[in-house]
Amino acid sequence: MAVESRSKRVIYAGLAGNILVAVTKGIAATTSGSSAMLSETIHSVVDSGNELLLLYGLRRSARPADHNHPFGHGRELYFWSFMVALLVFALGAGVSLYEGVLHLRHPVEISHPNANYVVLGLSFLFEGGSWLVGWRQFHRAQGSAGFWEAFRRSKDPPTFMVLFEDTAALVGIVIALAATYLATTLVMPWADGVGSILIGVVLAGTALLLVRESKSLLIGEPANSALTESIVHIAQAEPAVARVNGVLTVQMAPDQVVAALSLEFGADLRTADIEELVLSIERKVRVAHPSVVALFIKPQTGSAFREARRRRQEAETSAGFDNQSPLRADNQLPEDE
């Protein structure tokens, strides 16, 4: 199944669950006057809007390359993912914190608490179903990597965004249940406002994680190491290649990568031989990795490559780049080979 199809499946599952949850929570919030329930309603409405933005981003990113965008429009998905993360923070967390402080200063008695319990229970089932779809998709892409490593290495924002949003929603429902119980059964009306504040904190923490990862993808991350190693092996298998110096890659979209390959050719090769060799490597890389939308091959001696790498590393250090910079050579052979 294509990356776009898998992403859409996760988003549609999340959208369906959030619409059902938003409607049920909205009814309960209107009838009960609960601040925590209102925060949860806003949370679900924001999540529904976020899924629509992710679908829009997927559609825009699938447009073919044109004169102004020779490598395609894949970054559109990363831009809209970044906007989704900002909305979770600004709308979801901001409104929840505001409502919590307001009800903490002026507590309002929750009416019809039993309706809240029923609605929150149904919401947990709806969100749980959406979470399960997202978790299965994320776990399938996770492989042998740990959860945090898989999240940081993921190039497909819809997969981890929907999972994180649904996880935050489930935590929020548990908080709303606890707040309703404390405010009604134990007669602690201030607990409703505290519950809303805690939901806002959960959303803010989730949003900050999503903002950080979305920003990293938007400004450019290298492709995963397995792809770069494969490109090196393909080039090394060519008898006329004297040395593979290294590979630079930039992830343009979940299934779009631009790569630059530095090679040292045999000294006896003619121009026509080099052109034929370059075409052969390009064909083999495209067959092995259809996600590589552009491959640039640069003839370069090992000493010239090392000097260029030294200057690049100095530029990275002075500019404060981290190891995720796309200026970094993703796969290099030892200098003494």
Side-chain angles (χ1 to χ4, degrees):
M1 187 184 296
V3 173
E4 183 180 353
S5 299
R6 295 196 300 267
S7 298
K8 283 185 176 180
R9 179 184 175 187
V10 173
I11 296 173
Y12 281 131
L15 180 60
N18 279 317
I19 290 176
L20 289 172
V21 170
V23 171
T24 54
K25 287 179 181 177
I27 294 173
T30 302
T31 57
S32 67
S34 168
S35 171
M37 183 62 74
L38 178 60
S39 295
E40 276 297 292
T41 303
I42 294 169
H43 178 190
S44 297
V45 171
V46 171
D47 282 354
S48 299
N50 289 344
E51 264 109 43
L52 291 175
L53 284 179
L54 288 175
L55 287 171
Y56 179 73
L58 276 173
R59 185 171 68 85
R60 297 276 297 179
S61 68
R63 291 181 300 163
D66 55 34
H67 177 72
N68 293 323
H69 302 88
F71 297 131
H73 296 77
R75 288 279 176 87
E76 285 260 13
L77 176 59
Y78 293 158
F79 169 77
W80 290 108
S81 299
F82 184 71
M83 294 302 296
V84 163
L86 290 179
L87 285 174
V88 171
F89 183 81
L91 291 181
V95 174
S96 295
L97 290 170
Y98 172 78
E99 283 293 324
V101 172
L102 187 65
H103 281 71
L104 193 60
R105 295 179 60 188
H106 306 287
V108 177
E109 183 180 354
I110 297 177
S111 58
H112 310 295
N114 290 334
N116 272 18
Y117 292 133
V118 172
V119 167
L120 288 172
L122 291 174
S123 298
F124 196 90
L125 290 177
F126 296 147
E127 290 283 5
S130 173
W131 182 90
L132 189 59
V133 174
W135 169 253
R136 285 175 176 171
Q137 182 57 45
F138 183 84
H139 184 66
R140 190 177 297 117
Q142 179 180 356
S144 59
F147 178 85
W148 185 251
E149 181 186 0
F151 164 62
R152 292 303 309 276
R153 287 169 49 186
S154 175
K155 312 300 181 183
D156 187 13
T159 301
F160 63 74
M161 280 195 154
V162 173
L163 178 63
F164 271 62
E165 286 181 354
D166 288 343
T167 301
L170 290 174
V171 173
I173 290 172
V174 173
I175 293 174
L177 278 169
T180 301
Y181 176 79
L182 292 173
T184 56
T185 305
L186 300 184
V187 195
M188 301 166 63
W190 52 265
D192 186 37
V194 172
S196 185
I197 292 174
L198 290 176
I199 291 171
V201 171
V202 169
L203 290 178
T206 302
L208 289 175
L209 285 175
L210 296 180
V211 164
R212 177 181 176 182
E213 185 59 24
S214 299
K215 174 199 166 192
S216 181
L217 289 168
L218 182 59
I219 64 177
E221 283 189 0
N224 65 69
S225 58
L227 185 145
T228 57
E229 288 171 4
S230 176
I231 293 176
V232 168
H233 292 323
I234 290 172
Q236 283 177 329
E238 295 289 342
V241 173
R243 176 187 174 91
V244 179
N245 296 313
V247 183
L248 296 173
T249 60
V250 178
Q251 194 82 32
M252 304 297 292
D255 56 353
Q256 296 177 20
V257 175
V258 173
L261 177 62
S262 173
L263 299 178
E264 183 174 348
F265 298 107
D268 58 338
L269 290 184
R270 297 174 300 174
T271 301
D273 297 328
I274 293 176
E275 289 179 351
E276 184 178 346
L277 177 59
V278 166
L279 290 175
S280 174
I281 294 174
E282 287 179 342
R283 284 194 298 268
K284 291 177 180 178
V285 169
R286 293 257 168 77
V287 170
H289 304 286
S291 61
V292 178
V293 295
L295 175 64
F296 302 97
I297 298 179
K298 181 178 182 178
Q300 197 173 30
T301 63
S303 59
F305 173 78
R306 289 191 292 272
E307 175 61 22
R309 186 176 66 180
R310 184 188 63 79
R311 292 197 301 267
R312 184 167 57 245
Q313 289 173 339
E314 289 177 353
E316 290 180 17
T317 301
S318 62
F321 288 129
D322 59 20
N323 289 333
Q324 290 298 315
S325 169
L327 296 176
R328 176 175 59 85
D330 304 286
N331 198 303
Q332 302 164 343
L333 296 181
E335 295 183 5
D336 58 353
E337 283 192 4

